[in-house]
Amino acid sequence: MSHTPEQPELYVCTDCQSVYAGTVSGGPTDHRYDAPDECTACGSTEFVEMEDYPHFG
């Protein structure tokens, strides 16, 4: 059986709409993804999950 890689959660900067893969924290069996601390493009600290982006604002 082949392994399907896990897709990371994606986050969108609310100011410039840059997209980031979430930062992984935790162990192999209990990990989670968190938004980055700061947008490297514009410096904003506000992010929304990709699934919620179309409904944001």
Side-chain angles (χ1 to χ4, degrees), residues 7-24:
Q7 295 294 316
E9 290 186 28
L10 298 176
Y11 295 89
V12 181
C13 173
T14 59
D15 288 343
C16 72
Q17 289 76 48
S18 292
V19 177
Y20 293 88
T23 304
V24 180

Side-chain angles (χ1 to χ4, degrees), residues 31-43:
H31 64 279
R32 67 174 204 219
Y33 294 97
D34 297 309
D37 293 329
E38 182 179 38
C39 177
T40 57
C42 72

